[in-house]
Amino acid sequence: MVTLIQSLKTVISNRNVMAVTITQSLIMLATFLWRPFWGLYILELGGTKSAIGLLTTIQSLTTLLVQLPGGIISDRLGRKRVILVASVLGFIPPIIYRYSTHWTTLIIGTIVAALATLAMPAMNAIIADSLPKENRATGFGAYSMAWYLSIVISIPLGGYILDKLGVVTGTQWGLLISVILTLPVILIRWKSVSYTHLRAHETSLHLVCR
C-alpha cells in the first residue's frame, strides 16, 4: 500500500504527466458531449447510414495513416512541438462541424480531426520519458483512468442536452464547448510541458548506452 501511494505521488507530482492528463481529460469531456450521437447529427444534415459509415471509415483510415509519421516527426522535431501543432489542428474540426449545413462538409473536418491525432505517439512518449521506469505503468494507468472518467461523466450529460435541445442544436452546443475548451488545452500544453526532464532522461540513457 505504501509503495502504491508513493508511486501515485510520483506520478501526480510530475508536471509533464499532469499536463498531458488534464488536457486530454478536457478534450474527452468536451468531445463525448456530442461524439456518441455523431450518427444522429449526420442524419439530420441529410446523410444516410452509408454516409455515417463513410465518414467513420475516412477518419479511421486517416488516423491509421498518421500514427507512424506522427511518431517519426515527434522523435525528430520534439514531442512538445508536435503536441502543440496537433492541439491547434484540434481547434478546427469542431468549428467545421458546428457550421456545417450538409453532411458532405463534415468530411473536411473529419480528415483534420484525424490529422490532429498525430500527437498520440508523442503524448505516450512524454509519459514514458517523464517517469522513472518503476512508475511508468502507474503513470499510464492514471492517465487512462482520468480521461475515461471524463467520458463516463460526459456521455449522459450530452444525451441530456440533446434530449432538451434536439439533435442539431444540442450537438452544436457540444461542439461550441469543444472549441472553447481547446483554448486552455493549448495554453496548458504550451506553458506546462517541459523539455527539461526529457533532456535529462535522454542524457542518462545516452550515458548508459555508452
Side-chain angles (χ1 to χ4, degrees):
M1 185 67 180
V2 175
T3 303
L4 175 61
I5 293 173
Q6 289 175 341
S7 296
L8 287 173
K9 284 181 177 179
T10 301
V11 171
I12 292 171
S13 63
N14 189 285
R15 181 175 175 176
N16 285 342
V17 174
M18 289 308 296
V20 171
T21 300
I22 291 169
T23 54
Q24 189 64 16
S25 297
L26 286 174
I27 291 171
M28 293 296 104
L29 182 68
T31 300
F32 279 82
L33 286 174
W34 55 270
R35 188 68 198 186
F37 318 103
W38 179 239
L40 297 176
Y41 188 59
I42 294 171
L43 294 175
E44 290 289 333
L45 295 184
T48 62
K49 295 179 181 68
S50 295
I52 297 172
L54 176 63
L55 285 166
T56 304
T57 300
I58 290 172
Q59 181 159 5
S60 298
L61 178 61
T62 310
T63 300
L64 181 152
L65 293 176
V66 302
Q67 295 311 297
L68 182 57
I72 294 170
I73 294 169
S74 298
D75 284 339
R76 292 185 177 178
L77 300 183
R79 323 282 196 228
K80 184 171 182 177
R81 289 178 184 173
V82 173
I83 288 173
L84 289 176
V85 169
S87 299
V88 173
L89 282 175
F91 186 77
I92 300 171
I95 297 175
I96 295 174
Y97 299 153
R98 168 67 177 76
Y99 292 103
S100 292
T101 56
H102 191 266
W103 74 269
T104 52
T105 316
L106 302 174
I107 295 173
I108 302 170
T110 296
I111 293 172
V112 178
L115 291 175
T117 67
L118 64 85
M120 289 173 63
M123 289 196 292
N124 288 332
I126 271 196
I127 294 175
D129 289 344
S130 299
L131 290 171
K133 184 178 179 180
E134 62 272 16
N135 294 124
R136 279 179 198 158
T138 304
F140 278 107
Y143 167 67
S144 299
M145 187 177 72
W147 59 263
Y148 269 114
L149 177 61
S150 296
I151 291 172
V152 169
I153 294 170
S154 186
I155 292 176
L157 180 58
Y160 176 79
I161 292 171
L162 263 66
D163 276 342
K164 291 296 182 181
L165 301 179
V167 172
V168 174
T169 303
T171 302
Q172 288 176 343
W173 272 104
L175 292 166
L176 180 60
I177 292 170
S178 287
V179 172
I180 292 171
L181 288 184
T182 301
L183 296 175
V185 165
I186 295 171
L187 183 62
I188 291 170
R189 288 175 175 176
W190 176 44
K191 290 288 188 180
S192 298
V193 174
S194 169
Y195 283 119
T196 305
H197 186 90
L198 302 184
R199 286 173 179 160
H201 182 73
E202 289 167 359
T203 301
S204 64
L205 282 178
H206 180 69
L207 290 173
V208 169
C209 290
R210 290 181 62 188

